[in-house]
Amino acid sequence: MTVGELAGEYGKAGIGAAKMHEAVEVTGGMFADEDCTVFLSLAGAMVPTGMRRIVSDLIRDGYVDALVTTGANLTHDAIEAIGGKHHHGAEHAEGKTTREHDETLRDEEVDRIYNVYLPQEHFARFESHLRETVFPPLAEEGTVSIERFVRELGRANAEVNERDGVEEDPGVAAAAYESDVPVYCPAVQDSVLGLQAWMYSQTADFSLDALADMTPLTDLAYEADTAGCLLVGGGVPKNFTLQTMLVTPGAYDYGVQLTTDPESTGGLSGATLDEARSWGKLEKDASNATVVGDATITLPLLVAAARERVETDA
């Protein structure tokens, strides 16, 4: 059976399967609505754990109108774009404690993200990429928005990717640049990307305006005929995406979130979209669904099934 057919069968089951079926239905409706402005929120370690091409394809194929993500995802996206590589790794090593294993990785200059490894040499290459290709054009402009910064990053990533014949896809920022889709990164300082921007600003006429993106983002939401949000993970990207509707006369008509967090903690990452409705972030009659589970499992299934439905009916 196809992925879409599998998702259809999930509708005959219960617990998480039923939730996934519901999420596919809502996402398919959102993607099929030609008047819908779609906001994608991407938190967590989605890029280094293999979700990069899913997101870049969504952008290139016109399913996303704005992306809100973390500086970490943009950092790892750029590393892959310019020839760096993440590797499968182990979270434990035979005969060693977890601490001893990570101490060994430290000595070998390898960074670990659960079961994904990234040699530190790729960060050095990334930092050179920023200083040689990304920052100089921006320094000529002085203070720029974070969206402008990420747009220049996407341009540079695409340029180096093509010039060097990198096997990997040029990535999320490059797809957004080429498709004229804005990327917002409200907590860019909380990343190697933001750290390097700060370091560069100490010796160059360059700075980031953290408030400059608020107007275009709000305008995009304000002018939307209908609006939908696909929230992958929680944290700052999720809230930044949802809070935009607090200063518009409308609210989201569609909402789907993939999260690992329980709502019982009271934290935003696990907060239900029904709770968001109480704030006026979702319309009272909005179609919404929440799937609790590892997004590296749920996101590919959700996107494949929703796209199959839209593209089969087109």
Side-chain angles (χ1 to χ4, degrees):
M1 62 177 66
T2 67
V3 178
E5 290 168 345
L6 174 63
E9 291 299 304
Y10 275 4
K12 302 174 184 178
I15 312 179
K19 292 292 186 182
M20 174 56 76
H21 174 265
E22 183 181 11
V24 169
E25 292 288 310
V26 177
T27 305
M30 178 167 60
F31 285 172
D33 187 342
E34 295 182 356
D35 296 323
C36 183
T37 300
V38 178
F39 296 78
L40 172 60
S41 164
L42 191 71
M46 291 296 98
V47 167
T49 53
M51 303 296 103
R52 181 171 177 262
R53 186 62 183 264
I54 295 173
V55 177
S56 64
D57 281 350
L58 281 174
I59 293 171
R60 286 195 187 93
D61 295 340
Y63 288 103
V64 173
D65 297 290
L67 171 66
V68 182
T69 191
T70 62
N73 275 320
L74 293 173
T75 295
H76 291 274
D77 175 58
I79 286 173
E80 293 256 343
I82 63 175
K85 191 67 179 172
H86 298 83
H87 305 281
H88 284 112
E91 62 270 28
H92 305 291
E94 187 176 351
K96 293 183 178 180
T97 66
T98 301
R99 175 169 177 166
E100 288 170 341
H101 176 51
D102 286 316
E103 288 174 349
T104 300
L105 291 177
R106 172 70 176 270
D107 292 338
E108 295 174 349
E109 298 185 338
V110 174
D111 296 324
R112 181 171 73 88
I113 307 170
Y114 189 55
N115 56 6
V116 175
Y117 289 172
L118 182 65
Q120 290 180 10
E121 65 189 70
H122 295 317
F123 280 106
R125 186 173 182 178
F126 169 63
E127 291 160 9
S128 296
H129 173 59
L130 292 175
R131 290 184 168 273
E132 295 169 7
T133 315
V134 180
F135 289 142
L138 295 172
E140 296 178 5
E141 301 177 33
T143 299
V144 300
S145 70
I146 297 171
E147 188 276 331
R148 171 71 186 94
F149 173 33
V150 178
R151 193 168 2 119
E152 188 64 25
L153 177 67
R155 180 206 62 78
N157 290 352
E159 178 184 281
V160 173
N161 184 270
E162 181 177 5
R163 183 195 70 198
D164 295 349
V166 177
E167 183 179 347
E168 292 294 335
D169 181 82
V172 175
Y177 168 74
E178 293 164 355
S179 305
D180 198 25
V181 169
V183 178
Y184 301 105
C185 186
V188 68
Q189 303 95 318
D190 184 30
S191 65
V192 173
L193 178 62
L195 186 63
Q196 288 298 313
W198 168 75
M199 291 175 65
Y200 191 82
S201 73
Q202 302 306 294
T203 57
D205 185 19
F206 164 75
S207 185
L208 296 174
D209 184 343
L211 296 179
D213 290 336
M214 299 298 289
T215 298
L217 175 63
T218 302
D219 286 348
L220 188 64
Y222 194 96
E223 295 166 3
D225 292 325
T226 58
C229 59
L230 173 55
L231 310 170
V232 183
V236 172
K238 176 184 175 182
N239 187 66
F240 197 70
T241 301
L242 290 175
Q243 76 171 13
T244 300
M245 288 301 175
L246 296 178
V247 288
T248 70
Y252 284 110
D253 302 279
Y254 306 90
V256 173
Q257 75 167 344
L258 309 178
T259 182
T260 57
D261 292 81
E263 62 175 301
S264 58
T265 65
L268 178 97
S269 294
T272 65
L273 292 175
D274 290 327
E275 181 179 306
R277 183 179 276 106
S278 77
W279 289 75
K281 298 171 182 176
L282 265 70
E283 295 286 3
K284 288 184 178 180
D285 60 352
S287 300
N288 61 277
T290 295
V291 180
V292 177
D294 180 350
T296 63
I297 299 171
T298 58
L299 179 62
L301 177 60
L302 174 71
V303 170
R307 289 193 60 161
E308 180 182 322
R309 296 192 176 196
V310 174
E311 291 161 17
T312 299
D313 294 338

